[in-house]
Amino acid sequence: MSRRHVLGGLAALPALSALPALFAASGARADEAAPLPSWNDRPAKQAILAFLRAATDPASTDFVPAEDRIAAFDQDGTLWVEHPIYTQVVYCLDRVPGLVKANPHLAKVEPFRTALTGDLERIGKLSLRDLETIAAATLTGMDVETFAAEAKAWIEAAHDHRWKRFYTDLVYQPMQEVLGLFRANGFKTFIVTGGGQDFVRVYSQRVYGIPPEQVVGSALGTQFGYDKAGRPILTKEPKLLLNDDHAGKPEGIHLEIGRRPHAAFGNSTGDREMLEYVKSGGGARLMMLVLHDDAKREYAYGPARGLPDTRVGSFPAALDDQAKRDGWVVVSMKDDWKRIFAFGG
């Protein structure tokens, strides 16, 4: 059943079919109450509206029955800022001093020694394996309730370095509007992320209106046991159950959702297989990629279209070419979005 959530002060938008009546009843101008107000009236916005019209019109050959209305959204770089480094990586780095205090010998061991310096340039040169080592050490060894409480406290207090705002303020307002519009048209919205499933579940309801059970992410194993008081607990273990990136995304969708989505939104090579999987089904289909090409209001990176290269959220020319070839819609932050954040910009 469809629910309407309030997302950062934005109520879920009305279904497309209801808009004319609402305008007449309220006296509002169509250009003020139209869907997706933070989007410029360009092909990307029109593709979203056309998809929803087709998917919800019983007379359309692309009609999607209510039970099959599933939409999948990558998080990092698609729903919120991922540069210069993923938010969850910052969380892990912030936990290193406490880890070293409990295990002093780690102060002389890489990559923990580099993490302790706080030097973002040096930390930025750490390898993926180094970051995985830090993540494994800082995200495991505690029961799931302790992890959730610590992650919640951090996400409610930590600020980014550029805007000096909470990380949860750095959510893209145009995508919040998409989430609301999809739900208003009967779609269940899922986050499908390469980030940690347990981490994202801590704030997904509050930030995106997406309940924890509709978050599919990279998942570590747990072990059942008892605490000192004999209470049953689950302890997080450094054992990877699902790497929800690249091919892991459609695999995770099948494992945890059980239905092929009809719409998918991503921003990098890690989302390619998810968009391919969504496109291969029947009925109305929508595949979209967010291109970060606005250095002034957010960041600019590719390396497609002559943009700077990046290790975080790479969007190479080959992905851009595939989007053109396969009919995926590329969203230009610079051209398609009137504003990026709810607080401006």
Side-chain angles (χ1 to χ4, degrees):
M1 181 173 64
S2 175
R3 296 181 178 179
R4 295 186 178 184
H5 301 276
V6 176
L7 301 173
L10 176 71
L13 293 166
L16 293 176
S17 59
L19 287 173
L22 287 174
F23 296 154
S26 66
R29 287 168 44 196
D31 59 351
E32 292 176 345
L36 308 180
S38 296
W39 291 71
N40 287 315
D41 191 15
R42 287 170 43 83
K45 176 179 179 177
Q46 293 307 316
I48 296 171
L49 299 180
F51 165 79
L52 289 173
R53 281 194 295 268
T56 58
D57 180 2
S60 170
T61 57
D62 288 330
F63 176 71
V64 179
E67 63 272 18
D68 290 331
R69 293 181 192 173
I70 302 292
F73 296 78
D74 169 58
Q75 180 189 229
D76 297 306
T78 301
L79 295 180
W80 73 354
V81 174
E82 66 182 352
H83 261 228
I85 192 170
Y86 301 117
T87 300
Q88 188 173 357
V89 173
V90 180
Y91 171 72
C92 293
L93 292 171
D94 281 357
R95 288 182 56 84
V96 169
L99 180 69
V100 171
K101 183 177 181 180
N103 303 274
H105 70 282
L106 293 178
K108 298 181 179 180
V109 177
E110 292 292 358
F112 304 100
R113 182 169 62 182
T114 294
L116 285 172
T117 67
D119 185 330
L120 295 180
E121 185 174 348
R122 289 180 59 187
I123 291 171
K125 295 179 180 178
L126 291 174
S127 68
L128 177 60
R129 182 175 293 274
D130 288 333
L131 295 176
E132 289 173 345
T133 297
I134 292 172
T138 56
L139 299 176
T140 64
M142 74 289 288
D143 66 77
V144 295
E145 286 86 1
T146 297
F147 170 81
E150 292 178 352
K152 181 176 184 291
W154 184 87
I155 201 69
E156 291 179 351
H159 292 70
D160 82 291
H161 292 284
R162 175 176 172 181
W163 288 277
K164 313 301 181 186
R165 287 182 171 270
F166 296 117
Y167 286 98
T168 50
D169 286 342
L170 304 183
V171 174
Y172 304 137
Q173 180 63 20
M175 294 304 296
Q176 290 280 45
E177 294 167 7
V178 171
L179 288 169
L181 187 59
F182 266 70
R183 287 195 287 264
N185 281 274
F187 278 81
K188 274 190 174 181
T189 53
F190 287 78
I191 291 176
V192 181
T193 175
Q197 182 168 274
D198 285 350
F199 183 76
V200 179
R201 284 176 171 176
V202 167
Y203 55 82
S204 63
Q205 179 79 62
R206 175 174 67 88
V207 175
Y208 303 114
I210 295 177
E213 64 270 21
Q214 288 172 212
V215 174
V216 181
S218 295
L220 298 174
T222 58
Q223 183 176 44
F224 179 83
Y226 302 90
D227 64 14
K228 293 180 180 179
R231 183 177 68 95
I233 60 172
L234 290 172
T235 300
K236 292 175 67 66
E237 292 190 309
K239 178 176 65 177
L240 185 63
L241 294 183
L242 172 63
N243 179 14
D244 198 60
D245 203 16
H246 293 280
K249 290 201 171 188
E251 292 167 358
I253 287 169
H254 173 74
L255 180 68
E256 300 201 39
I257 301 176
R259 294 179 188 270
R260 188 192 306 262
H262 278 261
F265 295 75
N267 77 293
S268 72
T269 54
D271 302 306
R272 174 188 285 121
E273 290 86 349
M274 177 173 70
L275 270 65
E276 291 174 339
Y277 179 62
V278 168
K279 184 180 186 295
S280 64
R285 297 281 153 182
L286 179 67
M287 293 68 59
M288 303 194 85
L289 289 167
V290 175
L291 177 65
H292 295 258
D293 57 355
D294 196 328
K296 183 177 181 180
R297 295 189 299 171
E298 202 242 12
Y299 293 98
Y301 52 96
R305 306 188 187 185
L307 295 167
D309 203 352
T310 179
R311 294 175 61 193
V312 177
S314 178
F315 191 122
L319 184 63
D320 200 21
D321 292 341
Q322 182 173 3
K324 295 173 184 175
R325 183 176 66 249
D326 291 350
W328 304 350
V329 180
V330 176
V331 177
S332 164
M333 277 192 167
K334 185 176 180 180
D335 297 331
D336 287 311
W337 289 356
K338 294 179 182 178
R339 60 174 175 163
I340 292 181
F341 304 114
F343 59 81

